[in-house]
Amino acid sequence: MTDKSDTRRVSGKPRVIVTRRLLPDTEARMGDLFDVTLNEQDKPMSRAELIDAVRSCDVLVPTVTDTIDRDLIDAAGERLGLIANFGAGVDHIDLAAARQRRIMVTNTPGVFTEDTADMTMALIISTTRRFSEGFRAVQEGRWSGWSPSAYLGHRIGGKLLGIVGMGRIGQAVAHRARAFGLRIVYHNRHPLPEAVENMLAARFEPDLDKLVAEADILSLNCPATPETHHILDARRIALMKQGAYLVNAGRGELVDEKALIAALAEGRLGGAGLDVYENEPDVPAALLKLPNVIAMPHLGSATEEGRGAAGEKIIANIRFWADGHRPPDQVLDTLI
Ligand SMILES: NC(=O)C1=CN([C@@H]2O[C@H](COP(=O)(O)OP(=O)(O)OC[C@H]3O[C@@H](n4cnc5c(N)ncnc54)[C@H](O)[C@@H]3O)[C@@H](O)[C@H]2O)C=CC1
Ligand SMILES: O=CC(=O)O
């Protein structure tokens, strides 16, 4: 039987506060459907503004740039019943605290999968083929013409890609990687059904240390949780093959950034392609100085198509919830 104790019905239009600027179509639809306050400035809300927001709305629509921790949830008023996150990752929300206050949390799974997998693949190719070094040389006027021996990278066809986190995005990465001729090994909480493994030509490796040690390219595509914090720590980085590459489009917290910088600076690793960082938006200067690093500003899901679809998901989740139904994308801390 479904526990409906955290669902509720809102009479009239639910009062919704959105913490960042969304796409114009999404904002217009929200304006029609809800009693909504939008963030016209697109500046992340201050702590005081967030506290005011959770005290006065039925639904908060935050993003990854908002810290929704236990103190903020404890400060929420009685009306707050739904945190409808704009984004797939929910590591910035204290899910257990929300559950204890019977505040439901939803996210936007699936709509960013293809875009983030494209970004992961782009980072794999950019690092192994030294695109950032070549681009910087052209941009800075240091390129002196074609050479048989300059900027040589590595062919990815035939190399072993290790994927950590074989969910929606991990599988979409595997699908692309297969087409590029990469061999695929993955680590996940659970092995995939055999038919899916066969379709992706992917092999499950239950021992993460083994996967880290054998991969030519390591891609992190799992969520940030207490269990995955620094899943790639100094010890595991030391296990990586000499000259191996790291790609991270998951979360910065998955990697011990200091240990990664040291390994790159020593020449132990071949390079790193990063979309996410431990303390966003701060990116360590030492990382940016390294020639074999390509650094993106958390752009994995940044397409009009994906962000538009995420807006639709937010609206659907709010409507289901306000009508007293369980929203389609409820996130349960007990299942993450
Ligand atoms: N760079 C970007 O812009 C974006 C980044 N993301 C990140 O990607 C993450 C994954 O997204 P999806 O694939 O949609 O999620 P998902 O829930 O479909 O897949 C996550 C996978 O990670 C696995 N996993 C969880 N804990 C693990 C552990 N300790 N060891 C190994 N595997 C573990 C799960 O079993 C699951 O298969 C998000 O949580 C978010 O942090 C998501 C969208 C955009
Ligand atoms: O990082 C973005 C997300 O959707 O998660």
Side-chain angles (χ1 to χ4, degrees), residues 88-89 112 116 165-169 187-189 221-223 227-228 231 249-251 275-276 298 300-301:
F112 297 150
T116 311
M166 196 65 149
R168 295 176 184 85
I169 297 170
H187 178 78
N188 202 31
R189 275 182 312 192
N221 297 105
C222 60
E227 200 190 322
T228 61
I231 196 166
R251 279 290 182 269
D275 188 42
V276 287
H298 202 149
S301 70

Side-chain angles (χ1 to χ4, degrees), residues 177-217:
R178 193 182 176 200
F180 278 87
L182 281 148
R183 294 175 295 123
I184 299 157
V185 58
Y186 72 94
H187 178 78
N188 202 31
R189 275 182 312 192
H190 311 288
L192 298 176
E194 207 180 315
V196 181
E197 285 190 341
N198 290 341
M199 189 184 70
L200 297 171
R203 162 172 68 85
F204 178 60
E205 175 50 75
D207 182 342
L208 180 57
D209 284 358
K210 257 178 134 175
L211 176 143
V212 167
E214 68 177 337
D216 298 304
I217 304 159

